[in-house]
Amino acid sequence: MRLKTALALASAMTAIVGASSATALTIELRNTGGAEVGTQARAGFEVAAHFWEKVITNDVSVKFNVGFQQLGAGILGSTGSTTNVAYVGNVFPALQGAGNSALDAIVAANLPTTRASPFIGGEAIDALVSGAKSNGTGVQTPLTTRLDNDASGNNSAFSANTSLLKALGITPTYTGANAAIQADGSITFSNQFAFDFDPTDGIDATSFDFVGVAIHEIGHALGFRSGVDVYDANSNFAGNLNDFAIMSIWDIFRYSDQSIALGVNDWRIGGTPYFSIDGQTMYGADSRFSTGATLGNGRQASHWLDSAAGQPQLGILDPTSARGQQQEITSLDLAAYDAMGWNIAFDVMAQDHRRFSTANAHSAGIPEPATWALMIGGFFGLGGALRRRSAQARAAA
């Protein structure tokens, strides 16, 4: 759903500083206006939160602000994540120790190769990036590609969601006005659109699937966001991008055919990046990413690739939604969270072609794996809504 430039700077780019058995996720919702207890909006947020609480088994508590206000044109919802600087040399061991699944074992054995770094943790990773201007400020246009292997700040640290750090066993810090509240993210819905709050009887043709958008936005606050959006939104940044933690922990799994040939990540704007857990192949049949709202393909990089009209979305983290369209959660979505450090309630690799609608999430949280239905046929039954994608709206990361 689309990341606003102001949020990209505020929540995703942080200044660099120099050198057992789980139960379930608990999500606390804090109303910031329009999501009071007893309202349809609050009930919808609670259904979305309950979905994530059912599917994630880490014994972690997180807090999210939720509310409504006027957003930019065509934006359904927006999420600002609370972040900390987290160093490569500390995050990688945490990832290797946090997993409990077959997917996690592959991740642990295939994390990117590191080089020595002068920063805390002592390690950095290399990546293909969009070339910077000669003075280091912003990206050069037209876009160019360079191998970033200088072990500077942007190679040595992540801008990490505090929620995800908790899942990895790393204690986050909260500063400023957030020190007392300790919110891990703020989710804001537009007050300019009609939403259908009950997906169990389908989505009204004139409305958007509130529960689906809420699951999507909470998903951003849990860590599905990319630093590529920061590069993309700051082509005229007044500082040296090498000095900042920009990429997210999720960006560890961002590759392309070209980057894999070099044994590095792909953090460029544009191109054909995709999700890989082994640094060698694309995960699943199709796990491509969007590549940037400004200089990429027109959709924020903090999403899967936008599906074509009439085609099933890759997952709930698709960047757009149409009126009358019921959103769907897929095994691909859950594999992403499994990879980045969350523990999932079932083996996503053994159930890798499953999808279910927000009606399922509304009524039962998440079906048991044996009862999941392959809903490809049902999805195409919504073709009338999908063909109206020219009138679609975006939601923001």
Side-chain angles (χ1 to χ4, degrees):
M1 310 174 162
R2 189 173 249 179
L3 185 69
K4 295 164 64 180
T5 302
L7 287 178
L9 280 170
S11 67
M13 187 164 68
T14 314
I16 272 282
V17 179
S20 79
S21 176
T23 53
L25 173 69
T26 299
I27 298 176
E28 178 182 334
L29 301 175
R30 179 177 176 271
N31 173 46
T32 57
E36 293 81 4
V37 173
T39 62
Q40 286 184 308
R42 180 58 172 237
F45 277 123
E46 289 175 352
V47 168
H50 183 62
F51 161 76
W52 287 112
E53 290 172 337
K54 291 283 286 185
V55 77
I56 288 176
T57 64
N58 302 70
D59 190 10
V60 165
S61 295
V62 298
K63 299 178 182 179
F64 297 137
N65 297 323
V66 294
F68 287 78
Q69 68 181 50
Q70 186 168 345
L71 300 176
I75 296 178
L76 288 170
S78 175
T79 298
S81 296
T82 304
T83 60
N84 286 177
V85 171
Y87 295 88
V88 171
N90 297 330
V91 168
F92 277 19
L95 271 172
Q96 290 170 321
N100 64 356
S101 68
L103 185 149
D104 291 323
I106 296 172
V107 167
N110 293 279
L111 288 170
T113 301
T114 63
R115 66 173 62 246
S117 164
F119 294 94
I120 293 171
E123 295 182 74
I125 54 179
D126 300 343
L128 292 179
V129 299
S130 296
K133 297 175 182 177
S134 58
N135 61 0
T137 63
V139 296
Q140 177 179 321
T141 54
L143 294 173
T144 61
T145 293
R146 76 175 181 88
L147 176 62
D148 187 354
N149 59 358
D150 61 4
S152 59
N154 66 318
N155 303 95
S156 302
F158 303 107
S159 173
N161 287 56
T162 53
S163 58
L164 182 53
L165 291 177
K166 293 176 183 179
L168 293 173
I170 299 173
T171 302
T173 59
Y174 301 88
T175 60
N178 201 24
I181 300 170
Q182 295 193 351
D184 297 290
S186 294
I187 297 166
T188 305
F189 269 59
S190 173
N191 57 16
Q192 304 298 302
F193 293 97
F195 289 99
D196 188 328
F197 295 93
D198 181 5
T200 60
D201 58 356
I203 305 302
D204 186 86
T206 62
S207 301
F208 293 95
D209 183 351
F210 183 89
V211 171
V213 178
I215 290 173
H216 174 115
E217 297 299 340
I218 292 174
H220 284 310
L222 291 173
F224 198 112
R225 39 174 288 273
S226 174
V228 172
D229 284 322
V230 178
Y231 285 111
D232 185 47
N234 291 282
S235 58
N236 292 303
F237 180 61
N240 193 316
L241 292 172
N242 278 341
D243 297 334
F244 291 85
I246 295 175
M247 307 312 293
S248 72
I249 291 175
W250 174 227
D251 286 318
I252 293 169
F253 307 99
R254 195 177 186 97
Y255 287 90
S256 67
D257 289 348
Q258 185 178 356
S259 75
I260 285 174
L262 297 173
V264 302
N265 287 109
D266 191 330
W267 294 345
R268 295 175 295 176
I269 302 164
T272 310
Y274 49 75
F275 170 36
S276 176
I277 60 173
D278 61 6
Q280 301 172 53
T281 56
M282 180 190 293
Y283 182 86
D286 188 357
S287 58
R288 290 172 294 168
F289 293 119
S290 292
T291 64
T294 304
L295 300 173
N297 69 344
R299 305 297 187 200
Q300 288 178 320
S302 299
H303 300 93
W304 302 123
L305 186 67
D306 199 4
S307 62
Q311 297 300 310
Q313 294 177 329
L314 293 181
I316 197 72
L317 274 299
D318 184 283
T320 62
S321 181
R323 288 180 175 86
Q325 180 182 358
Q326 189 158 56
Q327 297 293 300
E328 293 183 318
I329 303 99
T330 68
S331 289
L332 177 61
D333 291 313
L334 302 183
Y337 292 91
D338 197 0
M340 71 177 75
W342 295 103
N343 294 330
I344 305 302
F346 66 95
D347 187 344
V348 296
M349 294 186 73
Q351 301 281 336
D352 65 347
H353 290 90
R354 304 296 176 174
R355 61 175 63 233
F356 64 99
S357 75
T358 52
N360 298 125
H362 189 283
S363 61
I366 176 173
E368 293 299 321
T371 67
W372 275 30
L374 281 172
M375 296 186 63
I376 298 295
F379 194 98
F380 280 113
L382 300 175
L386 295 185
R387 281 193 293 272
R388 292 195 295 272
R389 290 177 71 91
S390 60
Q392 65 200 357
R394 310 178 301 276

